[in-house]
Amino acid sequence: MDVKEAINKRRAYRSLVPVEITEEIIEDLARCAQLFCSCFNNQPWRYVFVYERDMLERMHEALSSGNEWARAASMIIAVFSKPDLDCLIRDRKYYFFDTGMATAAIILRATELGLVAHPIAGFSPKKTRAILNIPDEMEVITLVIVGKHSDRLSPVLSEKQIAAEKQRPERLSLSEFVYRNKYRE
Ligand SMILES: Cc1cc2nc3c(=O)[nH]c(=O)nc-3n(C[C@H](O)[C@H](O)[C@H](O)COP(=O)(O)O)c2cc1C
């Protein structure tokens, strides 16, 4: 699979079946983040790969309602960082950008490995920190829900989520976010 194919294949599926998570998979994904670019090579990203059954179950209490489907995760990757781990140039903070880019590399590689890697914002950072022993000063940015896509719809999905499962949610047209040479309202 080339990059373009992985970009096209990647979907935020919510119907998941279990998949075996091996040390090789974790290391493979982590190495993709490791190689990503960052401001001054600061590498601000931090990850907890949660895959032990009891820890996964404890993470269920950190999920927001509407994300019940994520209880079927075979792995949850907690993504966290803090501003002073990366460039702070006046009011420009790069830790979110760099951590996002490295996490995109993980998501695309997971796609290539035949996995679903679905980031979510619907979770409690406070509960996540408590469960995973992440220090308070760290910002938990997202949880990436990892599993294998199931053809059978998850029974906990809403109508909207079912629709998104069948068809990729619509995107802005290029003319709505691409400008040539100069920004225009
Ligand atoms: C930062 C972020 C937060 C998201 N939060 C949630 C979430 O809490 N629950 C959920 O079901 N999907 C969540 N999504 C998935 C998006 O809804 C999904 O990516 C979007 O609808 C486009 O669909 P696609 O990724 O399948 O193309 C999130 C995605 C991102 C990048």
Side-chain angles (χ1 to χ4, degrees):
M1 196 179 285
D2 61 22
V3 178
K4 186 102 187 241
E5 197 180 341
I7 288 170
N8 280 319
K9 265 236 162 89
R10 184 217 57 81
R11 286 277 272 108
Y13 288 119
R14 299 178 175 87
S15 301
L16 305 176
V17 283
V19 60
E20 193 196 352
I21 300 298
T22 61
E23 189 51 44
E24 289 71 42
I25 291 177
I26 293 168
E27 193 169 325
D28 188 326
L29 297 177
R31 289 207 178 281
C32 291
Q34 183 182 41
L35 289 182
F36 230 82
C37 53
S38 60
C39 188
F40 256 87
N41 195 25
N42 278 325
Q43 304 163 71
W45 44 81
R46 300 290 183 269
Y47 300 101
V48 177
F49 290 81
V50 183
Y51 55 93
E52 284 176 4
R53 183 58 26 213
D54 60 323
M55 289 304 289
L56 277 176
E57 274 170 20
R58 289 189 62 197
M59 282 300 291
H60 291 173
E61 68 183 83
L63 298 172
S64 305
S65 62
N67 280 336
E68 280 81 11
W69 58 268
R71 289 167 170 253
S74 298
M75 177 161 70
I76 296 177
I77 309 172
V79 181
F80 56 104
S81 183
K82 58 177 180 163
D84 61 359
L85 285 178
D86 207 346
C87 296
L88 297 164
I89 306 172
R90 295 200 179 85
D91 60 345
R92 284 182 285 146
K93 303 181 177 87
Y94 280 94
Y95 70 111
F96 244 66
F97 181 72
D98 290 347
T99 301
M101 286 199 295
T103 304
I106 287 179
I107 290 171
L108 289 180
R109 175 61 177 153
T111 305
E112 186 174 49
L113 293 174
L115 302 169
V116 172
H118 180 156
I120 60 166
F123 68 97
S124 160
K126 194 172 169 198
K127 286 182 187 165
T128 301
R129 278 196 296 267
I131 296 163
L132 302 183
N133 200 30
I134 295 172
D136 281 351
E137 76 262 23
M138 288 290 186
E139 292 177 33
V140 186
I141 299 166
T142 188
L143 301 179
V144 181
I145 307 302
V146 180
K148 189 135 188 118
H149 182 219
S150 170
D151 296 335
R152 285 190 162 190
L153 282 177
S154 160
V156 299
L157 299 185
S158 66
E159 289 297 312
K160 199 174 165 199
Q161 289 172 326
I162 290 171
E165 207 69 355
K166 293 177 179 165
Q167 197 175 7
R168 189 193 284 278
E170 250 188 66
R171 293 305 205 256
L172 296 176
S173 63
L174 295 192
S175 64
E176 288 173 290
F177 70 96
V178 178
Y179 304 90
R180 317 270 172 192
N181 301 310
K182 200 174 180 184
Y183 177 73
R184 289 175 183 83
E185 293 283 351

